[in-house]
Each structure stands twice: as C-alpha cells, then as structure tokens.
Amino acid sequence: MYPNWILQRAYLTPLRKALAYKGQSWTFQELNNLSIKRARQLSALGIQQGDRIAIMGPSNPDLVVMLYACMHLQCEMVMLNRRLSQEEVAYQLEDAEAVTVFVADEDVLKLPPKTAHHLFSTIAKGTEDTLDIDKEWPLHQTTTIMYTSGTTGFPKGVRQTVGNHQASATASVFNIGLQPEDVWLCAVPLFHISGFSILVRSLLYGNQVYLYDQFDVETITQNIIDGEVTHMSVVAVTLERILHTLEQLAMKASPRFKLMLAGGGPVPVDYLTRAHALNLAVAQTYGMTETSSQTATLASEDAIRKIGSAGKPLFFNQIKIAEPNDDGEGEICIRGPHVTPGYIGRFAQKSATIDGWLHTGDIGYIDEEGYLFVIDRRADLIISGGENIYPAEIENVLLTHPAVQEAGVCGKHDSRWGQVPIAFVVLKEQVSIEQLQAFCSQKLAKYKVPKEIILTDTLPRNGANKLVRRKLLQ
Amino acid sequence: MYPNWILQRAYLTPLRKALAYKGQSWTFQELNNLSIKRARQLSALGIQQGDRIAIMGPSNPDLVVMLYACMHLQCEMVMLNRRLSQEEVAYQLEDAEAVTVFVADEDVLKLPPKTAHHLFSTIAKGTEDTLDIDKEWPLHQTTTIMYTSGTTGFPKGVRQTVGNHQASATASVFNIGLQPEDVWLCAVPLFHISGFSILVRSLLYGNQVYLYDQFDVETITQNIIDGEVTHMSVVAVTLERILHTLEQLAMKASPRFKLMLAGGGPVPVDYLTRAHALNLAVAQTYGMTETSSQTATLASEDAIRKIGSAGKPLFFNQIKIAEPNDDGEGEICIRGPHVTPGYIGRFAQKSATIDGWLHTGDIGYIDEEGYLFVIDRRADLIISGGENIYPAEIENVLLTHPAVQEAGVCGKHDSRWGQVPIAFVVLKEQVSIEQLQAFCSQKLAKYKVPKEIILTDTLPRNGANKLVRRKLLQ
C-alpha cells in the first residue's frame, strides 16, 4: 500500500505552492482541502469509491480539483479529449461503461445528446457528505484511462495505475534531477499523459505547476525569459513557436530555466540548434499512453551528437528490438513498472504485453552505444502538433460514406504541425470533396479531418492486397 | 522485475564517475566491469546464484567491487560488522547459515578459527568462468542482511530487499532533491545501512561516492571546504568533529555543499547552531536497520524551530503512534515499502510487522503539525558514536561469568560519543573489575565493553522483578 499522494503531499509540505494559473496560486494544503470538499460533494451525489467516471474540461484549476477529488474517491477516471467529435466521445463512453461524466460547463455541448452528466458548477454548489478519505492506495489501482488508437483504428482504453504513474515519476527524477524550487509549465492537455504526468510529478516531488488552458506563446515565453519556470513539456510545433518568439524579442531563456522535455515525435535539427543558441536545453523523449509518458529520453548534452535518437531508457525500464533484421532493425519492445497492465472495454481481453514486454508496433534499432532510434511509427502513425492520428481511424470513417469504395490515409509534411493527414479515395458514386470533408468533420476531431482529399482510381496494395500507406504519396 | 542496478547504471551513464578513494577514481563502467569479473571468479569457486554468503572488510573499493559482484550473483549478503568480537561473528555466521565468508586479508583474524572463508586477494587471483549476469532482479530478492539487537539481546538478522532499498532511495530523493553532479561523502561503515544506502543511491541516481575507510577529519573537512562533495552522512560525534575542525581553521563549508544527513540519535542544539554559522545545512533523520535507513527526516529549515524532532516521514511511508496515552505518547510504528519483510535464522518465524506496521519499540509522539518526536529509545537502547548498543546483550555476557549474580547496563552521557555503556554488577564470588572487563572484551565489540563497572548490592527492579535500567544511574 502506498500513501494517497494528495493527502501525503499536503501533510509533508502544506504551505508550498502547488499550482499557479492566471495570476492566482494555490498551496498543496489548499488544493487538498478543495479536492476533499469536492470529493464529499461527489459522494453526496452517489459516486462511490472505485466507480469508473469520465471527465471533460479545459486545463484549469477547476479541472485539477475535480481530478484530485476523483483520486481521493479512488475512481477510475476516463480522461476525455475535449477536441473529439460527439461520435468519438460516444464510442469511448460506451466502451468504458462510465457511470457518468463530470463536465465543465463550457464543454457540455461536446457530449453526445442524452449523456448522463454532472456539470462542474452544479457539483461545486452541492451539499457535502461526511466521507472518510482513504489514506492509502494499492499499486494496482487504476488511476486514469486514456484512449489511444492503433492498427485497427478502434480506440483502446489504456489503464494507468498508481504504480505506473509512480514508477514514471521516479524514473524521470533519476534521469533529470529535482530541486524543491523547480516549477513545471504545463500547456499540454491534462487529458493526455503528457499533461497528467506533470500533476503526478508535482504531487510526488512537491513542485509547483504553472498551468495554462491554452498555448499562450507570449506569456509562456515571458515565463521562460523571467525564469519563473524551470521545466516545460513541449511538442516540436510549440517548441518552434517559443524559439520564434524568443528570436523576435532578441531574448534568451533565463539561466534558471533547466529543461524542455520534447515529446510527440522527433524534433528537427534546426530547432535544436536554435534552442542551443537561446540557452534552452532540450531533452527529446519517446513514450506513449501505454508507458505512462517517458520511456526513453535523449539527454540534452547528446542532442546534437545523437541527432535523431530517442536516447536511452529511464532507470527502471528496458528496451529491446524484437526479431531484428540484418541491420538490427525490428519492433521496439518496452518493459518496466511504467507499462500499462492492459486495456478496458472491448479490448479488455487483449493482453497489452507478451512476457512482460509491450510490443509498440514502432520500428527502430539500438546503436552500438545503446541509444534508441525510432525509424518508423506504428501503424503509419501520423503525429500532428503532438497529437497521434491513426490512418485506420480516418479510413474507417471515410468507408462508412455510401459513395466511398476505398480509402487510404497518410501523413504529409507540414511546416507548422509537422504532419497533417491527407486522404486518397476511390469512389463508387458521385460526391464532392467538400461533402466528404463535412462528413468527416461530424465524426472526427478537427485535427483528424483530412486537410486534402484526393480522388484516385486505385490505391497501392501489396501481394496480400493490404494497403501500403507509405506509397500513397507517390 | 526491475533492472540489475549495476548493469543498468553502467549502460545509462558509463563514463560518469562512480567512486573516488584516496585520489583514485572509477567510472560506473569500470566498476561494472570489475564486479562482473569478480562475480565470474566467485562463480568459478562454486558460489551460486542466490547463495547466502557473509562479507567482511574495510570500506574501500575492493569491498565495493566484492559487494557488487555478489549483487550480480544475486547472493544474500550478510554484512559483517568488522568491529565485532569473534564470538559475536560466530553467532551471526551460525544463525545465518552462511555458505562461506569473503574476507579482506587484513580482517581474516577477526573471523572465528576454522571459519570457511575466501580471502579477497585469493578470489582476485582466481580464474573466471563464463557466467551470464542476470539483467533483472525481483523486488522481493534479499540484497543484504544486517544484524541488529533488540530487547532480548540476541542479534536478529534483518533482511533488506531490492524493493526496500529502491523505495528508500526514491523517497530520499523526493525529500532532498537530486542533481547529476551531486557527490556523497561516505565515511560511515558500508556494513551498516547508513553506508550501504549511499552505494544504492549512487547506483540509482548516477552520483559519485567519495569513500573513506576511516573518519579522517582533516581530509573530509577539506572536501567540504573545497565543495568537492555535496552530501555527507554523519552521526552527532562526527558532525561535532567537523564543526570543531572548521572552527579551528576559521573556514566555512563551500556553497556547493548541500546537506549533512545526521542519523543515529538526536543532534544537540549547540551543534545545529554552530553548523548554521558555518553554512552547513543539517537534516536530522530517524531510521533503523528494519527501515533500510531514513524513515523520517527533519528539513534543515525546520532544525531550530522544531528542535528535538525527527521530522516528517519520507513520501512513501507512514508513521503512527500505537496506543497513545493522554499526552499522545506511545510506540512509534512505521509502514511503507522500505520496511523489512522480516528476519532470518532463529527469528525467521517472528513477524517483523503487524498488519504491515513495524512496531519499533521506540516511544514518541506526533505534534499538531505532524512532526515526530522520539522521546525514549527501544529497550533502553544506548547510542554511542552512532552505533546501537543494546543493554541486554552486554548483561547476557556479564551473566555468563561465574562470579556474577546480577547485571544491569545503561548509557551514561559522554561528551565525545554521546553515550557510553556502563554496568552495575552484583557478585556471588570475588572478581576484579579488570577481570570482568577483560572477559567482556573477549566476547563483545570494543564499543560495547562497559566503560565503567560498578559493584553494588542490589539492582533496581519493578514489581514484576524486572530490571528498571533507567533507575540504574540513581
């Protein structure tokens, strides 16, 4: 049994700052008191210990308090991506069999009609019961469930346990160090593992989080110049915007700023060179929802020498290449206490690991010094502004349109987002491109809607008649 | 399964310095290579994976390599205190049923006659076999066994597992922080948990250890003045000697020096005030062999405000007071992943915990802010220069002398060692004090031999005829 992180942190360092948002700040004691109150309000609504609930809201203190309240209740939290379409949300709620949804008032229209829900504002006005908060959590308890797609295009609900999150936070600190005065800037969504793991680290380390509900590049860059923050999680596109803003202002990062942790795909060399000139250390990281964030990280001092590498594993985990070819290339497999115990819903029976090894579907190799290189993403994964897009998911949507015979989706280079999805379609009936895009917009999050749809006579297929997506662009 | 710490650290940061000793230094890769070679030499001698062996030697790189070799072999290491008498060593070897003893050449005469052993020098000259080193260790694997006495005076062999040591190192870093360039000075014995835990932290954190085979106050103080080291584990008596040396030199600690971790009993207020004036931050810690080192630590910023307190628990553990009286005082109980799973040998059947709680035997209370105060040590424990001395163990020895009728031992204040043991004896035959002391010297480590033996007619006993040791001095 391990201590309830929120209670323990509030006990150990009650007066340390925990959270800053738009000029206001909260101590660990204050966040604990607010979240216990919220937990008792949820309990009065009939929410019980261990219930599986879903949560949707923008990244702000209300959401943090709601998350911590649910953690006090040891609920399994389905973290809804607020950029999803109603149809996508409906799929996840049905698959997860969530008891109810706690939704920020401004997000209620994002829920499918007739979804059972409680508004944040209503909950906050409710009466409290006298619930006792559990002081301990078991390691195997599911804290969060995050949906991620895969080869089939059907999103899978990935469980992340107390033990997964703890192992991830611990391995991270063994890698990049820790000081009590560290402050992590969070402008990545809390519903993704990149954002939620910042909250976990804050609770375990006793560090403050500077939270943003959106990527406000001017204010964030100013935080970095002033040294108000020491760490930040970025994707390539947000890193570039910060670099650009620093260059425009002819300013550099404060010496107090320590590290940019860059996830969601490789960072272009040009960005690394520019970052170096601006005093910004960048550590590239490779991870996924199934590994509760970082699995391998490239130290900033190796960024140029090992360009293109995802680095070495964090202390508690191992990486190997399954069935390597003569060049040592094969599927990247990951093992460690940060790896999910498995999925929920329709994939609950599918084991996430084989003999403890997560087979990522990504292709890569490990060089003679032990550095990992990722050379091809699983299932032709498209990474657009840090969001994962699985071609099969978009193809599945296109194929449900009565006019579409065949569909193939791939990523196309984009100077702003890194990649954007484009579709190749073989028609069986007449339909306009605009109609197809409108159809996709109804069913898919905006960032998944193909930026281009190209009509064609045939799609490239291999001998087994399987679509070869990497040949689509040719 | 968790990675073999030594292999993993050598893989992740092969070229970082791991160990410095008398002007020489070794990287993690070098220590790994040396210890794999040593493991293969041990294997060639017939030592098998999982064997329980005992180790004795001074704190130097030879011992470190031997410890790491045994860890590669996943041996259970009985850590012999080289200050013990032959009789005490014989008890531990017999109780532990150790297969053999690996002994430094200079310590061989400390072993009981006819003890099966291998000299460090002989092992180092032996042939190697081709043993494969296991890449993973299970959490429940016993890494170390350290003997500690208790109420009965019969030393108990305490198991410390991979999981115990990992949890301890992790909780410590969440408390005091970590930077890759941190260097921990180790002048406490490696056979004690205070010393061994420094090696564990070095492997997990990738930090360097400055190792000393004895407490060389001039050189150590110079390391602190020069800022060559950032952390050090001390007991009150060694802290005082460093303070005294700094004062004599009219020098202060380097700003690079971060923290003195002071264990083995409370630090006098006077020392804290002097340390403050010399730029030395002191964090007092409360822990024991059963908790794999620190369990609670008083932050240096609270040192004066909470004088006499042992602080708050480290993140992963909990402390409670069992059956408190009206003033809130009762037995201190500890729970967490750092608590031993139990004992070996004659105490193997005795559970170390009740419902997961270790009952320490120490008496204390927790104040309104959650700070622990230890007010009375278990079994009238005497702490002399950081070494634990259990009165019952000395009484048991005295009672085996044919001239002794009754014996009672207690601690007496000593300006240098904090406390020293003194004995009160009721005779049934004539014997001289010198003869009794010589008798004790044969059977007990030097620091346990009573500094005074006082002849008396009766010993203070309570209604149940039980010795009341705290009344001995009156």
Side-chain angles (χ1 to χ4, degrees):
Chain A
M1 300 295 282
Y2 281 73
N4 171 330
W5 305 330
I6 308 158
L7 283 184
Q8 182 80 340
R9 180 47 64 196
Y11 163 37
L12 297 182
T13 56
L15 303 181
R16 270 201 214 161
K17 283 192 182 172
L19 185 68
Y21 178 80
K22 294 190 176 171
Q24 266 194 286
S25 72
W26 292 261
T27 64
F28 284 103
Q29 191 169 52
E30 288 166 339
L31 279 189
N32 184 48
N33 291 343
L34 288 169
S35 60
I36 288 177
K37 177 179 178 176
R38 194 72 80 251
R40 290 181 172 150
Q41 289 167 322
L42 292 175
S43 176
L45 287 172
I47 305 301
Q48 298 191 342
Q49 192 188 48
D51 275 350
R52 184 176 295 163
I53 49 82
I55 303 182
M56 186 190 278
S59 293
N60 62 30
D62 278 347
L63 179 63
V64 174
V65 168
M66 188 61 69
L67 294 170
Y68 289 2
C70 292
M71 287 157 71
H72 275 313
L73 279 167
Q74 296 172 275
C75 285
E76 300 187 352
M77 304 186 289
V78 180
M79 309 289 277
L80 294 175
N81 179 338
R82 54 198 297 268
R83 302 171 68 183
L84 297 184
S85 71
Q86 285 190 353
E87 290 205 15
E88 291 169 315
V89 172
Y91 167 91
Q92 294 186 11
L93 292 176
E94 177 269 321
D95 185 66
E97 301 180 88
V99 173
T100 186
V101 184
F102 304 143
V103 62
D105 299 36
E106 65 196 277
D107 281 352
V108 69
L109 294 178
K110 296 180 179 172
L111 296 183
K114 299 185 186 167
T115 301
H117 68 271
H118 297 281
L119 290 176
F120 281 10
S121 64
T122 317
I123 298 167
K125 278 180 268 178
T127 54
E128 299 170 50
D129 70 9
T130 54
L131 173 82
D132 274 336
I133 304 294
D134 249 316
K135 287 190 176 175
E136 296 186 338
W137 297 340
L139 276 188
H140 57 78
Q141 177 187 306
T142 297
T143 305
T144 41
I145 294 163
M146 298 185 190
Y147 275 82
T148 178
S149 288
T151 46
T152 62
F154 288 101
K156 293 178 287 194
V158 179
R159 293 168 51 199
Q160 294 145 339
T161 63
V162 168
N164 292 151
H165 287 298
Q166 283 188 180
S168 174
T170 302
S172 178
V173 87
F174 287 174
N175 187 43
I176 64 174
L178 168 68
Q179 288 184 289
E181 57 274 22
D182 287 346
V183 179
W184 207 296
L185 193 154
C186 177
V188 285
L190 293 177
F191 54 75
H192 276 336
I193 188 61
S194 56
F196 188 78
S197 65
I198 294 173
L199 293 183
V200 175
R201 289 194 289 265
S202 165
L203 290 169
L204 268 61
Y205 306 167
N207 283 168
Q208 189 179 190
V209 175
Y210 259 52
L211 185 65
Y212 283 85
D213 59 358
Q214 53 188 347
F215 183 73
D216 174 356
V217 69
E218 279 77 25
T219 317
I220 288 170
T221 306
Q222 201 58 49
N223 291 157
I224 292 168
I225 293 168
D226 296 342
E228 288 180 76
V229 298
T230 58
H231 294 75
M232 179 178 178
S233 299
V234 288
V235 294
V237 57
T238 48
L239 175 60
E240 201 286 330
R241 291 184 61 199
I242 291 167
L243 298 176
H244 181 76
T245 308
L246 284 169
E247 288 159 347
Q248 292 283 309
L249 296 169
M251 297 295 282
K252 291 187 176 187
S254 161
R256 284 196 297 277
F257 187 86
K258 293 183 188 169
L259 193 67
M260 288 283 188
L261 195 65
V267 177
V269 190
D270 167 54
Y271 296 4
L272 295 174
T273 321
R274 289 161 63 201
H276 184 73
L278 295 164
N279 278 354
L280 270 183
V282 179
Q284 293 179 82
T285 178
Y286 169 70
M288 57 201 69
T289 306
E290 284 89 342
T291 64
S292 313
S293 136
Q294 309 165 65
T295 254
T297 299
L298 183 66
S300 110
E301 61 262 35
D302 291 332
I304 302 294
R305 186 174 76 89
K306 288 286 176 182
I307 190 79
S309 168
K312 289 182 178 177
L314 300 196
F315 194 86
F316 287 132
N317 71 65
Q318 300 168 71
I319 296 179
K320 73 171 183 187
I321 303 298
E323 299 176 19
N325 66 15
D326 291 346
D327 294 330
E329 298 169 0
E331 186 176 15
I332 300 169
C333 299
I334 299 169
R335 179 175 165 94
H338 64 321
V339 171
T340 179
Y343 305 102
I344 63 161
R346 72 189 64 191
F347 293 98
Q349 300 310 315
K350 184 180 182 301
S351 174
T353 56
I354 302 169
D355 290 338
W357 289 93
L358 176 77
H359 288 246
T360 63
D362 290 343
I363 304 300
Y365 66 93
I366 294 173
D367 77 4
E368 66 288 346
E369 288 184 80
Y371 288 78
L372 174 70
F373 287 77
V374 183
I375 52 182
D376 206 0
R377 290 287 173 153
R378 56 193 170 280
D380 304 310
L381 177 65
I382 302 163
I383 304 182
S384 184
E387 290 278 1
N388 287 353
I389 302 175
Y390 290 84
E393 196 178 352
I394 304 175
E395 292 160 5
N396 289 350
V397 167
L398 285 166
L399 289 168
T400 62
H401 192 283
V404 173
Q405 175 84 37
E406 293 177 49
V409 171
C410 67
K412 187 182 164 188
H413 177 75
D414 181 89
S415 61
R416 173 151 189 194
W417 301 111
Q419 288 183 296
V420 290
I422 64 169
F424 294 82
V425 171
V426 180
L427 294 182
K428 54 186 174 187
E429 288 174 28
Q430 204 57 27
V431 69
S432 74
I433 302 291
E434 292 69 31
Q435 282 173 314
L436 284 178
Q437 280 182 319
F439 180 78
C440 287
S441 294
Q442 274 178 17
K443 294 174 181 285
L444 291 168
K446 194 174 163 203
Y447 62 87
K448 297 180 190 169
V449 175
K451 295 299 161 285
E452 292 176 39
I453 297 182
I454 296 151
L455 301 180
T456 179
D457 289 337
T458 55
L459 295 181
R461 292 186 181 274
N462 65 15
N465 208 31
K466 193 167 177 300
L467 182 67
V468 184
R469 294 194 187 94
R470 66 176 178 278
K471 290 194 178 165
L472 282 170
L473 274 179
Q474 301 158 10
Chain B
M1 299 294 283
Y2 281 73
N4 171 330
W5 304 331
I6 308 158
L7 283 184
Q8 183 79 340
R9 178 48 63 195
Y11 164 37
L12 296 182
T13 56
L15 303 180
R16 270 202 214 158
K17 283 191 182 172
L19 185 67
Y21 178 80
K22 295 191 176 171
Q24 266 194 287
S25 72
W26 292 261
T27 65
F28 285 104
Q29 191 168 53
E30 288 167 339
L31 278 189
N32 184 47
N33 291 343
L34 289 169
S35 58
I36 287 178
K37 177 178 178 178
R38 194 72 80 249
R40 289 181 171 150
Q41 290 168 322
L42 292 175
S43 175
L45 288 173
I47 305 300
Q48 299 192 343
Q49 192 188 46
D51 276 351
R52 182 176 296 163
I53 49 80
I55 303 182
M56 184 189 279
S59 292
N60 62 30
D62 278 346
L63 179 63
V64 174
V65 168
M66 188 61 69
L67 294 170
Y68 289 2
C70 292
M71 288 157 71
H72 276 313
L73 279 167
Q74 296 171 273
C75 286
E76 299 187 353
M77 304 185 289
V78 179
M79 310 289 277
L80 294 175
N81 179 337
R82 56 197 295 268
R83 302 170 68 183
L84 296 185
S85 71
Q86 285 189 353
E87 290 205 16
E88 290 168 314
V89 172
Y91 168 92
Q92 295 186 10
L93 292 177
E94 176 269 321
D95 185 66
E97 302 182 84
V99 173
T100 186
V101 184
F102 304 143
V103 62
D105 299 35
E106 66 197 275
D107 282 352
V108 68
L109 293 179
K110 296 180 178 172
L111 296 182
K114 298 183 187 167
T115 301
H117 68 271
H118 297 282
L119 290 177
F120 281 11
S121 64
T122 316
I123 298 168
K125 278 180 266 176
T127 55
E128 299 170 50
D129 70 10
T130 54
L131 172 81
D132 274 336
I133 304 294
D134 249 317
K135 287 189 177 177
E136 296 186 339
W137 296 339
L139 277 187
H140 58 77
Q141 177 188 307
T142 296
T143 305
T144 40
I145 294 163
M146 298 185 191
Y147 275 82
T148 179
S149 289
T151 45
T152 62
F154 288 103
K156 294 178 286 192
V158 179
R159 293 169 51 200
Q160 293 145 339
T161 64
V162 168
N164 292 152
H165 287 298
Q166 283 188 179
S168 173
T170 302
S172 177
V173 86
F174 287 173
N175 187 43
I176 63 174
L178 169 67
Q179 287 184 292
E181 57 275 21
D182 287 345
V183 179
W184 207 296
L185 193 155
C186 177
V188 285
L190 293 176
F191 55 75
H192 275 336
I193 188 61
S194 56
F196 189 78
S197 65
I198 294 173
L199 293 182
V200 174
R201 289 194 288 266
S202 165
L203 290 170
L204 268 59
Y205 306 166
N207 283 169
Q208 190 179 190
V209 175
Y210 260 51
L211 185 65
Y212 283 85
D213 58 358
Q214 54 190 347
F215 183 72
D216 173 357
V217 68
E218 279 77 24
T219 317
I220 289 171
T221 306
Q222 201 59 50
N223 292 157
I224 293 169
I225 293 168
D226 296 342
E228 288 180 78
V229 299
T230 57
H231 295 74
M232 179 178 177
S233 300
V234 288
V235 294
V237 57
T238 49
L239 176 60
E240 202 285 330
R241 291 185 60 196
I242 291 167
L243 297 176
H244 180 76
T245 308
L246 284 170
E247 288 160 348
Q248 292 284 312
L249 296 169
M251 297 294 282
K252 290 187 174 188
S254 161
R256 285 197 296 277
F257 187 85
K258 293 183 188 167
L259 193 66
M260 287 282 187
L261 196 64
V267 176
V269 190
D270 166 54
Y271 296 5
L272 295 173
T273 321
R274 289 162 63 199
H276 185 72
L278 295 164
N279 277 355
L280 270 184
V282 178
Q284 293 178 81
T285 180
Y286 169 70
M288 58 201 69
T289 307
E290 284 88 341
T291 65
S292 313
S293 134
Q294 308 164 65
T295 253
T297 300
L298 182 66
S300 100
E301 60 262 36
D302 291 331
I304 302 294
R305 187 174 75 88
K306 287 287 177 183
I307 191 77
S309 168
K312 289 182 178 177
L314 300 195
F315 194 86
F316 288 132
N317 72 64
Q318 300 168 73
I319 296 179
K320 72 171 183 188
I321 303 298
E323 300 174 20
N325 65 14
D326 292 347
D327 294 331
E329 299 168 358
E331 185 176 15
I332 300 169
C333 298
I334 298 169
R335 180 176 164 94
H338 64 320
V339 171
T340 180
Y343 305 101
I344 63 162
R346 72 189 65 190
F347 293 98
Q349 300 310 315
K350 182 180 184 300
S351 175
T353 56
I354 301 169
D355 290 337
W357 289 93
L358 176 77
H359 288 246
T360 62
D362 290 342
I363 304 300
Y365 66 94
I366 295 173
D367 77 3
E368 65 289 346
E369 288 184 80
Y371 288 78
L372 174 69
F373 287 76
V374 184
I375 50 180
D376 206 2
R377 291 286 174 155
R378 56 192 169 282
D380 304 310
L381 178 63
I382 302 163
I383 303 182
S384 183
E387 290 278 0
N388 287 353
I389 302 175
Y390 290 83
E393 197 179 349
I394 303 174
E395 292 160 5
N396 289 350
V397 167
L398 285 166
L399 289 169
T400 61
H401 191 284
V404 173
Q405 175 87 35
E406 293 177 51
V409 170
C410 66
K412 187 183 166 191
H413 178 74
D414 181 89
S415 61
R416 173 153 189 192
W417 301 110
Q419 286 184 297
V420 290
I422 62 169
F424 293 81
V425 171
V426 179
L427 294 183
K428 55 185 175 191
E429 289 173 28
Q430 202 57 28
V431 67
S432 74
I433 303 288
E434 292 68 32
Q435 282 173 314
L436 283 178
Q437 280 183 318
F439 181 77
C440 287
S441 294
Q442 272 177 20
K443 293 173 182 287
L444 290 168
K446 194 174 164 203
Y447 62 87
K448 298 180 190 170
V449 175
K451 296 297 162 286
E452 293 176 38
I453 296 181
I454 296 151
L455 301 181
T456 179
D457 288 337
T458 55
L459 296 180
R461 293 187 181 273
N462 66 14
N465 207 30
K466 193 167 177 298
L467 182 66
V468 184
R469 294 195 188 95
R470 64 177 179 280
K471 290 195 178 164
L472 281 170
L473 273 179
Q474 302 159 8

